[in-house]
Amino acid sequence: MTTSSVDGHRRALTPALLLGVLGVVYGDIGTSPLYALKASVLHFASDGVERWEVLGLLSLIFWSLILTVTVKYVVFVLRADNRGEGGILALMALAQRCARTERGRWLVALVGMAGACLFFGDGIITPAISVLSAVEGLKVVSPAFEEAVIPLSVIILLGLFLVQYRGTSSMGAVFGPICALWFATIGILGLIEIVREPEVLVALSPTYAIHFCAVYRLAAFIAMGSVVLAVTGAEALYADMGHFGKRPIQLAWMGFVLPALALNYFGQGALLLSTPGALENPFYLLAPEWLRLPLVVLATAATIIASQAMISGAYSIARQCVQLGFSPRLVVRHTSETEEGQIYLPQVNFALLLGVIILVLEFRSSDSLAAAYGIAVTGTFLCTSCLALLVFRRQFRWPAALVAVVFGPLLALDAVFFIANVLKIPDGGYVPLVLGAILMVLMTTWYRGRQLLFARFRQDSLPLKSFLARLPQSRTVRVPGVAVFMTGQADFVPGALLHNLKHNKVLHERVLFVTVLNEDVPQVPADRRMELTELAAGIHRVILRYGFQESPNIPRELISLREAGVAFEPMQTSYFLGRETLVQAVVPKMSRWRQWLFTLMSRNAVPATEFFRIPSDRVVELGVRVAI
């Protein structure tokens, strides 16, 4: 277990920590009352909404919160930590260790990639629907504000994305208190309405949900596609486990967030029972008229926080994709000198901003976006359940019967949610599916292309042992200085070295073969970071290991060689890199269009010098033609 994970588990429960959990983990699910109940009831509003329909939908929402969030995530999935870290890719790494065949590992990787792709879809839709639903409260304050909703939403979203480069530390200090105020406010507003209409509490019984489904059948199934909006953001409980630890997340949910959400949903239901016309916007109409404008401001702040959590999550997932070999190298900028996890990826930020603005201008209301939102969330739920089932059966060695009893119903519920949202594809559900399909093609192409590239290198390269055996007889001239050869294959001679010998006829006095290995753990402990092996006089092999939540820094790591007795002077060091030019083999292993795509992605990847933080003025690049 890494130091960070140990600290995460032993961290003392303090008010500041619990406030941080509220601000980061629960921002997304905390803003669901803005649109979830309204979107669910609208399915049955054409001929008026009856009492038993409201109670049935309330019961479905409440028990979805209990089963999906409390039982699935809080009780079970949070146990499946990868050295203290959570999230779909951390779970995928755990599941890959349980897979017994290469084909099994590939299938697990596909499920993990699918979950990551849908997460990016979620990351685009969440800011759009959250900010729109908050700003739409202005229409409740006064119809005169109706034309201002779209422009104001676009301005807020532009501002949010344009300040990302500054990092979240300055904003984070106020996230927790704002979310605490938000949950307290929505809970109190709901409680006041429940006191006026206590009959609504009968919906706590699951019999109302069962009766509703029995009467409506297919219509109830379709409505589940909107009911799931109440649990959007549940994945954040697991994804952010590494930041706060399991216990604070569980305590905040059971002690504060769940009660506040339940009170607000039942308060909205009570309002609809007494005033059916409140369906226009039951969330804002819970508040007295004098409080509605301040509530719009508070809701906008809460949705910005929810959006920020998704944006930061997208940065983390994107970096993990790079480290796990699913994506080309991307620009990673650290926005904090002390926190490794606070990063900014400009390419990802621009893509998210573009997608969010397009969605707002295209759909123009939170009700229209609800269909697109559900399928991204439920797809990620389904992927998480499939991977968790494998991990609990193989790694935790649960009996098959226990796994079936626990995860069978949860998997079935996720499948119902997902299929119900598939029916909404024509109404906007195509958005995350199209986006996910595009990202899936890119990821699988990159993953397969890199495998073929490494296989070709191994086939064409000279084994390192053979090279070292011939070196004493070769009379190669050794010149002063340090040469660092970056290589992905530790047991083979880098192509850049062979080209340097061929053209320059010299070898440096000190040679370092540096290989960076990405492990399926979040962070690699300091004592396992570097492995140093002396291969011959003045020639060493250095293997550097990084976790999928870390960013490599080669020069910084190499300076520590001095402690091992290896002379290393940064100003006398040259870094030799091979720049591959991909050409089609006589018998190609990839289709023409995939090879074209892989080549395009390779050309647009961030240069190794920038990704590994190598000084550009100390780099020598040598071209290598590779046929795949």
Side-chain angles (χ1 to χ4, degrees), residues 88 111-125 310 372-383 418 429 431-437 439-440 443:
I88 186 72
V111 174
M113 280 189 263
C117 292
L118 289 169
F119 182 87
F120 284 117
D122 194 2
I124 289 176
I125 299 169
M310 290 303 299
Y373 196 20
I375 205 164
V377 174
T378 55
T380 306
F381 284 174
L382 204 54
C383 293
F418 181 73
V431 172
L433 287 181
V434 170
L435 179 64
L439 290 174
M440 194 71 176
M443 285 188 184

PDB file of all heavy atoms in Angstrom, residues 88 111-125 310 372-383 418 429 431-437 439-440 443:
ATOM      1  N   ILE A  88     -13.302   3.891 -12.207  1.00  0.00           N
ATOM      2  CA  ILE A  88     -13.508   2.819 -13.183  1.00  0.00           C
ATOM      3  C   ILE A  88     -12.191   2.222 -13.669  1.00  0.00           C
ATOM      4  O   ILE A  88     -12.071   0.994 -13.826  1.00  0.00           O
ATOM      5  CB  ILE A  88     -14.362   3.329 -14.374  1.00  0.00           C
ATOM      6  CG1 ILE A  88     -14.716   2.193 -15.339  1.00  0.00           C
ATOM      7  CG2 ILE A  88     -13.666   4.457 -15.101  1.00  0.00           C
ATOM      8  CD1 ILE A  88     -15.720   1.233 -14.820  1.00  0.00           C
ATOM      9  N   VAL A 111     -13.995  -3.309 -21.253  1.00  0.00           N
ATOM     10  CA  VAL A 111     -15.030  -2.816 -20.335  1.00  0.00           C
ATOM     11  C   VAL A 111     -14.558  -1.536 -19.644  1.00  0.00           C
ATOM     12  O   VAL A 111     -15.312  -0.563 -19.510  1.00  0.00           O
ATOM     13  CB  VAL A 111     -15.397  -3.891 -19.287  1.00  0.00           C
ATOM     14  CG1 VAL A 111     -16.368  -3.327 -18.250  1.00  0.00           C
ATOM     15  CG2 VAL A 111     -16.015  -5.108 -19.957  1.00  0.00           C
ATOM     16  N   GLY A 112     -13.287  -1.524 -19.208  1.00  0.00           N
ATOM     17  CA  GLY A 112     -12.735  -0.328 -18.569  1.00  0.00           C
ATOM     18  C   GLY A 112     -12.701   0.862 -19.512  1.00  0.00           C
ATOM     19  O   GLY A 112     -13.052   1.987 -19.133  1.00  0.00           O
ATOM     20  N   MET A 113     -12.297   0.607 -20.768  1.00  0.00           N
ATOM     21  CA  MET A 113     -12.269   1.685 -21.762  1.00  0.00           C
ATOM     22  C   MET A 113     -13.675   2.211 -22.035  1.00  0.00           C
ATOM     23  O   MET A 113     -13.890   3.422 -22.156  1.00  0.00           O
ATOM     24  CB  MET A 113     -11.632   1.196 -23.061  1.00  0.00           C
ATOM     25  CG  MET A 113     -10.116   1.158 -23.041  1.00  0.00           C
ATOM     26  SD  MET A 113      -9.422   0.823 -24.685  1.00  0.00           S
ATOM     27  CE  MET A 113      -9.163  -0.937 -24.567  1.00  0.00           C
ATOM     28  N   ALA A 114     -14.656   1.292 -22.134  1.00  0.00           N
ATOM     29  CA  ALA A 114     -16.038   1.719 -22.368  1.00  0.00           C
ATOM     30  C   ALA A 114     -16.530   2.603 -21.222  1.00  0.00           C
ATOM     31  O   ALA A 114     -17.163   3.650 -21.454  1.00  0.00           O
ATOM     32  CB  ALA A 114     -16.943   0.500 -22.520  1.00  0.00           C
ATOM     33  N   GLY A 115     -16.228   2.197 -19.981  1.00  0.00           N
ATOM     34  CA  GLY A 115     -16.624   3.006 -18.834  1.00  0.00           C
ATOM     35  C   GLY A 115     -15.963   4.375 -18.847  1.00  0.00           C
ATOM     36  O   GLY A 115     -16.605   5.389 -18.552  1.00  0.00           O
ATOM     37  N   ALA A 116     -14.669   4.420 -19.214  1.00  0.00           N
ATOM     38  CA  ALA A 116     -13.957   5.700 -19.281  1.00  0.00           C
ATOM     39  C   ALA A 116     -14.540   6.594 -20.370  1.00  0.00           C
ATOM     40  O   ALA A 116     -14.702   7.803 -20.174  1.00  0.00           O
ATOM     41  CB  ALA A 116     -12.469   5.456 -19.536  1.00  0.00           C
ATOM     42  N   CYS A 117     -14.869   6.001 -21.524  1.00  0.00           N
ATOM     43  CA  CYS A 117     -15.443   6.777 -22.628  1.00  0.00           C
ATOM     44  C   CYS A 117     -16.781   7.388 -22.226  1.00  0.00           C
ATOM     45  O   CYS A 117     -17.062   8.557 -22.513  1.00  0.00           O
ATOM     46  CB  CYS A 117     -15.626   5.896 -23.865  1.00  0.00           C
ATOM     47  SG  CYS A 117     -14.087   5.366 -24.631  1.00  0.00           S
ATOM     48  N   LEU A 118     -17.625   6.588 -21.559  1.00  0.00           N
ATOM     49  CA  LEU A 118     -18.914   7.105 -21.110  1.00  0.00           C
ATOM     50  C   LEU A 118     -18.741   8.159 -20.017  1.00  0.00           C
ATOM     51  O   LEU A 118     -19.539   9.090 -19.909  1.00  0.00           O
ATOM     52  CB  LEU A 118     -19.786   5.948 -20.606  1.00  0.00           C
ATOM     53  CG  LEU A 118     -20.306   5.020 -21.708  1.00  0.00           C
ATOM     54  CD1 LEU A 118     -20.928   3.772 -21.116  1.00  0.00           C
ATOM     55  CD2 LEU A 118     -21.315   5.740 -22.598  1.00  0.00           C
ATOM     56  N   PHE A 119     -17.677   8.012 -19.209  1.00  0.00           N
ATOM     57  CA  PHE A 119     -17.393   9.017 -18.184  1.00  0.00           C
ATOM     58  C   PHE A 119     -17.108  10.371 -18.843  1.00  0.00           C
ATOM     59  O   PHE A 119     -17.543  11.412 -18.352  1.00  0.00           O
ATOM     60  CB  PHE A 119     -16.207   8.592 -17.326  1.00  0.00           C
ATOM     61  CG  PHE A 119     -15.886   9.554 -16.216  1.00  0.00           C
ATOM     62  CD1 PHE A 119     -16.512   9.449 -14.982  1.00  0.00           C
ATOM     63  CD2 PHE A 119     -14.981  10.586 -16.407  1.00  0.00           C
ATOM     64  CE1 PHE A 119     -16.227  10.347 -13.966  1.00  0.00           C
ATOM     65  CE2 PHE A 119     -14.694  11.489 -15.399  1.00  0.00           C
ATOM     66  CZ  PHE A 119     -15.316  11.367 -14.168  1.00  0.00           C
ATOM     67  N   PHE A 120     -16.367  10.355 -19.959  1.00  0.00           N
ATOM     68  CA  PHE A 120     -16.099  11.611 -20.668  1.00  0.00           C
ATOM     69  C   PHE A 120     -17.403  12.209 -21.197  1.00  0.00           C
ATOM     70  O   PHE A 120     -17.580  13.433 -21.197  1.00  0.00           O
ATOM     71  CB  PHE A 120     -15.114  11.385 -21.815  1.00  0.00           C
ATOM     72  CG  PHE A 120     -13.693  11.233 -21.366  1.00  0.00           C
ATOM     73  CD1 PHE A 120     -13.003  10.053 -21.581  1.00  0.00           C
ATOM     74  CD2 PHE A 120     -13.039  12.268 -20.720  1.00  0.00           C
ATOM     75  CE1 PHE A 120     -11.687   9.899 -21.163  1.00  0.00           C
ATOM     76  CE2 PHE A 120     -11.722  12.129 -20.287  1.00  0.00           C
ATOM     77  CZ  PHE A 120     -11.048  10.945 -20.513  1.00  0.00           C
ATOM     78  N   GLY A 121     -18.322  11.340 -21.664  1.00  0.00           N
ATOM     79  CA  GLY A 121     -19.631  11.835 -22.085  1.00  0.00           C
ATOM     80  C   GLY A 121     -20.364  12.491 -20.934  1.00  0.00           C
ATOM     81  O   GLY A 121     -20.972  13.562 -21.074  1.00  0.00           O
ATOM     82  N   ASP A 122     -20.282  11.857 -19.771  1.00  0.00           N
ATOM     83  CA  ASP A 122     -20.872  12.407 -18.558  1.00  0.00           C
ATOM     84  C   ASP A 122     -20.233  13.756 -18.220  1.00  0.00           C
ATOM     85  O   ASP A 122     -20.909  14.711 -17.813  1.00  0.00           O
ATOM     86  CB  ASP A 122     -20.660  11.409 -17.409  1.00  0.00           C
ATOM     87  CG  ASP A 122     -21.519  11.718 -16.192  1.00  0.00           C
ATOM     88  OD1 ASP A 122     -22.304  12.674 -16.251  1.00  0.00           O
ATOM     89  OD2 ASP A 122     -21.409  10.986 -15.195  1.00  0.00           O
ATOM     90  N   GLY A 123     -18.906  13.837 -18.422  1.00  0.00           N
ATOM     91  CA  GLY A 123     -18.182  15.068 -18.115  1.00  0.00           C
ATOM     92  C   GLY A 123     -18.580  16.240 -18.993  1.00  0.00           C
ATOM     93  O   GLY A 123     -18.434  17.398 -18.598  1.00  0.00           O
ATOM     94  N   ILE A 124     -19.082  15.943 -20.183  1.00  0.00           N
ATOM     95  CA  ILE A 124     -19.551  17.015 -21.067  1.00  0.00           C
ATOM     96  C   ILE A 124     -20.990  17.396 -20.734  1.00  0.00           C
ATOM     97  O   ILE A 124     -21.360  18.574 -20.728  1.00  0.00           O
ATOM     98  CB  ILE A 124     -19.436  16.578 -22.549  1.00  0.00           C
ATOM     99  CG1 ILE A 124     -17.966  16.529 -22.966  1.00  0.00           C
ATOM    100  CG2 ILE A 124     -20.214  17.521 -23.463  1.00  0.00           C
ATOM    101  CD1 ILE A 124     -17.748  16.027 -24.374  1.00  0.00           C
ATOM    102  N   ILE A 125     -21.827  16.389 -20.441  1.00  0.00           N
ATOM    103  CA  ILE A 125     -23.254  16.656 -20.235  1.00  0.00           C
ATOM    104  C   ILE A 125     -23.523  17.273 -18.864  1.00  0.00           C
ATOM    105  O   ILE A 125     -24.394  18.136 -18.720  1.00  0.00           O
ATOM    106  CB  ILE A 125     -24.061  15.358 -20.413  1.00  0.00           C
ATOM    107  CG1 ILE A 125     -23.869  14.819 -21.839  1.00  0.00           C
ATOM    108  CG2 ILE A 125     -25.538  15.603 -20.174  1.00  0.00           C
ATOM    109  CD1 ILE A 125     -24.389  13.419 -22.045  1.00  0.00           C
ATOM    110  N   MET A 310     -16.617  17.201 -12.084  1.00  0.00           N
ATOM    111  CA  MET A 310     -16.589  16.367 -13.290  1.00  0.00           C
ATOM    112  C   MET A 310     -15.418  16.746 -14.194  1.00  0.00           C
ATOM    113  O   MET A 310     -14.782  15.877 -14.805  1.00  0.00           O
ATOM    114  CB  MET A 310     -17.899  16.497 -14.059  1.00  0.00           C
ATOM    115  CG  MET A 310     -19.095  15.857 -13.381  1.00  0.00           C
ATOM    116  SD  MET A 310     -18.862  14.097 -13.027  1.00  0.00           S
ATOM    117  CE  MET A 310     -18.623  13.449 -14.667  1.00  0.00           C
ATOM    118  N   ALA A 372     -30.017  12.597 -22.865  1.00  0.00           N
ATOM    119  CA  ALA A 372     -28.601  12.395 -23.170  1.00  0.00           C
ATOM    120  C   ALA A 372     -27.814  12.062 -21.906  1.00  0.00           C
ATOM    121  O   ALA A 372     -26.861  11.270 -21.946  1.00  0.00           O
ATOM    122  CB  ALA A 372     -28.029  13.651 -23.828  1.00  0.00           C
ATOM    123  N   TYR A 373     -28.218  12.641 -20.789  1.00  0.00           N
ATOM    124  CA  TYR A 373     -27.480  12.473 -19.540  1.00  0.00           C
ATOM    125  C   TYR A 373     -27.566  11.045 -19.023  1.00  0.00           C
ATOM    126  O   TYR A 373     -26.575  10.428 -18.642  1.00  0.00           O
ATOM    127  CB  TYR A 373     -28.070  13.439 -18.507  1.00  0.00           C
ATOM    128  CG  TYR A 373     -27.212  13.690 -17.294  1.00  0.00           C
ATOM    129  CD1 TYR A 373     -25.853  13.432 -17.301  1.00  0.00           C
ATOM    130  CD2 TYR A 373     -27.770  14.224 -16.148  1.00  0.00           C
ATOM    131  CE1 TYR A 373     -25.076  13.696 -16.190  1.00  0.00           C
ATOM    132  CE2 TYR A 373     -27.006  14.500 -15.029  1.00  0.00           C
ATOM    133  CZ  TYR A 373     -25.662  14.227 -15.051  1.00  0.00           C
ATOM    134  OH  TYR A 373     -24.898  14.492 -13.955  1.00  0.00           O
ATOM    135  N   GLY A 374     -28.782  10.493 -19.045  1.00  0.00           N
ATOM    136  CA  GLY A 374     -29.004   9.195 -18.419  1.00  0.00           C
ATOM    137  C   GLY A 374     -28.162   8.080 -18.978  1.00  0.00           C
ATOM    138  O   GLY A 374     -27.628   7.242 -18.248  1.00  0.00           O
ATOM    139  N   ILE A 375     -27.986   8.021 -20.286  1.00  0.00           N
ATOM    140  CA  ILE A 375     -27.320   6.873 -20.894  1.00  0.00           C
ATOM    141  C   ILE A 375     -25.826   6.860 -20.571  1.00  0.00           C
ATOM    142  O   ILE A 375     -25.221   5.792 -20.430  1.00  0.00           O
ATOM    143  CB  ILE A 375     -27.570   6.853 -22.424  1.00  0.00           C
ATOM    144  CG1 ILE A 375     -27.426   5.420 -22.940  1.00  0.00           C
ATOM    145  CG2 ILE A 375     -26.670   7.809 -23.165  1.00  0.00           C
ATOM    146  CD1 ILE A 375     -28.014   5.218 -24.308  1.00  0.00           C
ATOM    147  N   ALA A 376     -25.221   8.033 -20.418  1.00  0.00           N
ATOM    148  CA  ALA A 376     -23.803   8.089 -20.049  1.00  0.00           C
ATOM    149  C   ALA A 376     -23.602   7.564 -18.631  1.00  0.00           C
ATOM    150  O   ALA A 376     -22.683   6.779 -18.358  1.00  0.00           O
ATOM    151  CB  ALA A 376     -23.286   9.526 -20.158  1.00  0.00           C
ATOM    152  N   VAL A 377     -24.481   7.977 -17.730  1.00  0.00           N
ATOM    153  CA  VAL A 377     -24.367   7.569 -16.324  1.00  0.00           C
ATOM    154  C   VAL A 377     -24.620   6.073 -16.162  1.00  0.00           C
ATOM    155  O   VAL A 377     -23.854   5.359 -15.515  1.00  0.00           O
ATOM    156  CB  VAL A 377     -25.359   8.381 -15.460  1.00  0.00           C
ATOM    157  CG1 VAL A 377     -25.365   7.873 -14.030  1.00  0.00           C
ATOM    158  CG2 VAL A 377     -24.998   9.860 -15.495  1.00  0.00           C
ATOM    159  N   THR A 378     -25.713   5.596 -16.775  1.00  0.00           N
ATOM    160  CA  THR A 378     -26.082   4.189 -16.596  1.00  0.00           C
ATOM    161  C   THR A 378     -25.080   3.254 -17.263  1.00  0.00           C
ATOM    162  O   THR A 378     -24.851   2.143 -16.776  1.00  0.00           O
ATOM    163  CB  THR A 378     -27.491   3.925 -17.156  1.00  0.00           C
ATOM    164  OG1 THR A 378     -27.552   4.356 -18.524  1.00  0.00           O
ATOM    165  CG2 THR A 378     -28.534   4.687 -16.353  1.00  0.00           C
ATOM    166  N   GLY A 379     -24.491   3.688 -18.363  1.00  0.00           N
ATOM    167  CA  GLY A 379     -23.456   2.870 -19.006  1.00  0.00           C
ATOM    168  C   GLY A 379     -22.253   2.685 -18.095  1.00  0.00           C
ATOM    169  O   GLY A 379     -21.694   1.580 -17.983  1.00  0.00           O
ATOM    170  N   THR A 380     -21.854   3.764 -17.414  1.00  0.00           N
ATOM    171  CA  THR A 380     -20.742   3.671 -16.469  1.00  0.00           C
ATOM    172  C   THR A 380     -21.109   2.776 -15.284  1.00  0.00           C
ATOM    173  O   THR A 380     -20.291   1.981 -14.811  1.00  0.00           O
ATOM    174  CB  THR A 380     -20.357   5.074 -15.953  1.00  0.00           C
ATOM    175  OG1 THR A 380     -20.107   5.930 -17.073  1.00  0.00           O
ATOM    176  CG2 THR A 380     -19.098   5.030 -15.105  1.00  0.00           C
ATOM    177  N   PHE A 381     -22.360   2.895 -14.791  1.00  0.00           N
ATOM    178  CA  PHE A 381     -22.829   2.011 -13.713  1.00  0.00           C
ATOM    179  C   PHE A 381     -22.687   0.546 -14.112  1.00  0.00           C
ATOM    180  O   PHE A 381     -22.233  -0.297 -13.326  1.00  0.00           O
ATOM    181  CB  PHE A 381     -24.306   2.284 -13.405  1.00  0.00           C
ATOM    182  CG  PHE A 381     -24.564   3.531 -12.620  1.00  0.00           C
ATOM    183  CD1 PHE A 381     -25.875   3.957 -12.385  1.00  0.00           C
ATOM    184  CD2 PHE A 381     -23.534   4.296 -12.108  1.00  0.00           C
ATOM    185  CE1 PHE A 381     -26.130   5.104 -11.660  1.00  0.00           C
ATOM    186  CE2 PHE A 381     -23.781   5.449 -11.388  1.00  0.00           C
ATOM    187  CZ  PHE A 381     -25.079   5.853 -11.166  1.00  0.00           C
ATOM    188  N   LEU A 382     -23.111   0.235 -15.327  1.00  0.00           N
ATOM    189  CA  LEU A 382     -23.109  -1.149 -15.812  1.00  0.00           C
ATOM    190  C   LEU A 382     -21.686  -1.689 -15.891  1.00  0.00           C
ATOM    191  O   LEU A 382     -21.412  -2.827 -15.481  1.00  0.00           O
ATOM    192  CB  LEU A 382     -23.784  -1.205 -17.179  1.00  0.00           C
ATOM    193  CG  LEU A 382     -24.407  -2.523 -17.633  1.00  0.00           C
ATOM    194  CD1 LEU A 382     -25.399  -3.045 -16.609  1.00  0.00           C
ATOM    195  CD2 LEU A 382     -25.085  -2.335 -18.986  1.00  0.00           C
ATOM    196  N   CYS A 383     -20.769  -0.871 -16.407  1.00  0.00           N
ATOM    197  CA  CYS A 383     -19.359  -1.290 -16.495  1.00  0.00           C
ATOM    198  C   CYS A 383     -18.774  -1.525 -15.103  1.00  0.00           C
ATOM    199  O   CYS A 383     -18.045  -2.501 -14.884  1.00  0.00           O
ATOM    200  CB  CYS A 383     -18.543  -0.229 -17.238  1.00  0.00           C
ATOM    201  SG  CYS A 383     -18.958  -0.056 -18.990  1.00  0.00           S
ATOM    202  N   PHE A 418     -30.087   1.236 -17.829  1.00  0.00           N
ATOM    203  CA  PHE A 418     -29.407   1.453 -19.102  1.00  0.00           C
ATOM    204  C   PHE A 418     -30.361   1.236 -20.282  1.00  0.00           C
ATOM    205  O   PHE A 418     -30.435   2.065 -21.194  1.00  0.00           O
ATOM    206  CB  PHE A 418     -28.207   0.513 -19.224  1.00  0.00           C
ATOM    207  CG  PHE A 418     -27.424   0.693 -20.496  1.00  0.00           C
ATOM    208  CD1 PHE A 418     -26.610   1.810 -20.683  1.00  0.00           C
ATOM    209  CD2 PHE A 418     -27.512  -0.237 -21.529  1.00  0.00           C
ATOM    210  CE1 PHE A 418     -25.896   1.986 -21.854  1.00  0.00           C
ATOM    211  CE2 PHE A 418     -26.801  -0.068 -22.708  1.00  0.00           C
ATOM    212  CZ  PHE A 418     -25.986   1.045 -22.861  1.00  0.00           C
ATOM    213  N   GLY A 429     -30.234  10.648 -26.510  1.00  0.00           N
ATOM    214  CA  GLY A 429     -29.364   9.621 -25.955  1.00  0.00           C
ATOM    215  C   GLY A 429     -28.231   9.234 -26.876  1.00  0.00           C
ATOM    216  O   GLY A 429     -27.254   8.620 -26.444  1.00  0.00           O
ATOM    217  N   VAL A 431     -26.117  11.200 -28.075  1.00  0.00           N
ATOM    218  CA  VAL A 431     -24.945  12.069 -27.853  1.00  0.00           C
ATOM    219  C   VAL A 431     -23.816  11.321 -27.144  1.00  0.00           C
ATOM    220  O   VAL A 431     -22.694  11.230 -27.672  1.00  0.00           O
ATOM    221  CB  VAL A 431     -25.346  13.344 -27.082  1.00  0.00           C
ATOM    222  CG1 VAL A 431     -24.105  14.136 -26.672  1.00  0.00           C
ATOM    223  CG2 VAL A 431     -26.259  14.206 -27.931  1.00  0.00           C
ATOM    224  N   PRO A 432     -24.047  10.764 -25.934  1.00  0.00           N
ATOM    225  CA  PRO A 432     -22.935  10.062 -25.280  1.00  0.00           C
ATOM    226  C   PRO A 432     -22.539   8.784 -26.016  1.00  0.00           C
ATOM    227  O   PRO A 432     -21.371   8.383 -25.959  1.00  0.00           O
ATOM    228  CB  PRO A 432     -23.478   9.746 -23.881  1.00  0.00           C
ATOM    229  CG  PRO A 432     -24.957   9.766 -24.025  1.00  0.00           C
ATOM    230  CD  PRO A 432     -25.248  10.786 -25.079  1.00  0.00           C
ATOM    231  N   LEU A 433     -23.487   8.145 -26.720  1.00  0.00           N
ATOM    232  CA  LEU A 433     -23.143   6.936 -27.463  1.00  0.00           C
ATOM    233  C   LEU A 433     -22.217   7.239 -28.630  1.00  0.00           C
ATOM    234  O   LEU A 433     -21.233   6.530 -28.871  1.00  0.00           O
ATOM    235  CB  LEU A 433     -24.415   6.243 -27.968  1.00  0.00           C
ATOM    236  CG  LEU A 433     -25.268   5.526 -26.915  1.00  0.00           C
ATOM    237  CD1 LEU A 433     -26.456   4.869 -27.573  1.00  0.00           C
ATOM    238  CD2 LEU A 433     -24.430   4.483 -26.172  1.00  0.00           C
ATOM    239  N   VAL A 434     -22.517   8.298 -29.371  1.00  0.00           N
ATOM    240  CA  VAL A 434     -21.652   8.686 -30.489  1.00  0.00           C
ATOM    241  C   VAL A 434     -20.279   9.098 -29.975  1.00  0.00           C
ATOM    242  O   VAL A 434     -19.242   8.678 -30.500  1.00  0.00           O
ATOM    243  CB  VAL A 434     -22.300   9.834 -31.301  1.00  0.00           C
ATOM    244  CG1 VAL A 434     -21.311  10.412 -32.309  1.00  0.00           C
ATOM    245  CG2 VAL A 434     -23.547   9.333 -32.020  1.00  0.00           C
ATOM    246  N   LEU A 435     -20.284   9.928 -28.922  1.00  0.00           N
ATOM    247  CA  LEU A 435     -19.020  10.363 -28.345  1.00  0.00           C
ATOM    248  C   LEU A 435     -18.230   9.165 -27.815  1.00  0.00           C
ATOM    249  O   LEU A 435     -17.020   9.037 -28.050  1.00  0.00           O
ATOM    250  CB  LEU A 435     -19.284  11.358 -27.214  1.00  0.00           C
ATOM    251  CG  LEU A 435     -18.046  11.890 -26.484  1.00  0.00           C
ATOM    252  CD1 LEU A 435     -17.170  12.683 -27.430  1.00  0.00           C
ATOM    253  CD2 LEU A 435     -18.460  12.751 -25.287  1.00  0.00           C
ATOM    254  N   GLY A 436     -18.914   8.266 -27.091  1.00  0.00           N
ATOM    255  CA  GLY A 436     -18.245   7.088 -26.545  1.00  0.00           C
ATOM    256  C   GLY A 436     -17.699   6.190 -27.639  1.00  0.00           C
ATOM    257  O   GLY A 436     -16.596   5.644 -27.519  1.00  0.00           O
ATOM    258  N   ALA A 437     -18.465   6.025 -28.734  1.00  0.00           N
ATOM    259  CA  ALA A 437     -18.005   5.178 -29.842  1.00  0.00           C
ATOM    260  C   ALA A 437     -16.750   5.754 -30.491  1.00  0.00           C
ATOM    261  O   ALA A 437     -15.799   5.024 -30.812  1.00  0.00           O
ATOM    262  CB  ALA A 437     -19.118   5.027 -30.878  1.00  0.00           C
ATOM    263  N   LEU A 439     -14.506   7.778 -29.065  1.00  0.00           N
ATOM    264  CA  LEU A 439     -13.389   7.619 -28.131  1.00  0.00           C
ATOM    265  C   LEU A 439     -12.946   6.159 -28.048  1.00  0.00           C
ATOM    266  O   LEU A 439     -11.750   5.873 -27.935  1.00  0.00           O
ATOM    267  CB  LEU A 439     -13.793   8.118 -26.741  1.00  0.00           C
ATOM    268  CG  LEU A 439     -13.975   9.636 -26.599  1.00  0.00           C
ATOM    269  CD1 LEU A 439     -14.508   9.987 -25.216  1.00  0.00           C
ATOM    270  CD2 LEU A 439     -12.665  10.361 -26.854  1.00  0.00           C
ATOM    271  N   MET A 440     -13.901   5.239 -28.133  1.00  0.00           N
ATOM    272  CA  MET A 440     -13.575   3.811 -28.069  1.00  0.00           C
ATOM    273  C   MET A 440     -12.728   3.399 -29.268  1.00  0.00           C
ATOM    274  O   MET A 440     -11.750   2.648 -29.127  1.00  0.00           O
ATOM    275  CB  MET A 440     -14.866   2.996 -28.028  1.00  0.00           C
ATOM    276  CG  MET A 440     -14.668   1.552 -27.616  1.00  0.00           C
ATOM    277  SD  MET A 440     -14.263   1.432 -25.861  1.00  0.00           S
ATOM    278  CE  MET A 440     -14.216  -0.330 -25.652  1.00  0.00           C
ATOM    279  N   MET A 443      -9.234   4.822 -28.662  1.00  0.00           N
ATOM    280  CA  MET A 443      -8.480   4.109 -27.625  1.00  0.00           C
ATOM    281  C   MET A 443      -8.032   2.725 -28.094  1.00  0.00           C
ATOM    282  O   MET A 443      -6.873   2.346 -27.885  1.00  0.00           O
ATOM    283  CB  MET A 443      -9.333   3.970 -26.358  1.00  0.00           C
ATOM    284  CG  MET A 443      -9.468   5.244 -25.554  1.00  0.00           C
ATOM    285  SD  MET A 443     -10.288   4.917 -23.973  1.00  0.00           S
ATOM    286  CE  MET A 443     -10.418   6.581 -23.311  1.00  0.00           C
TER     287      MET A 443
END
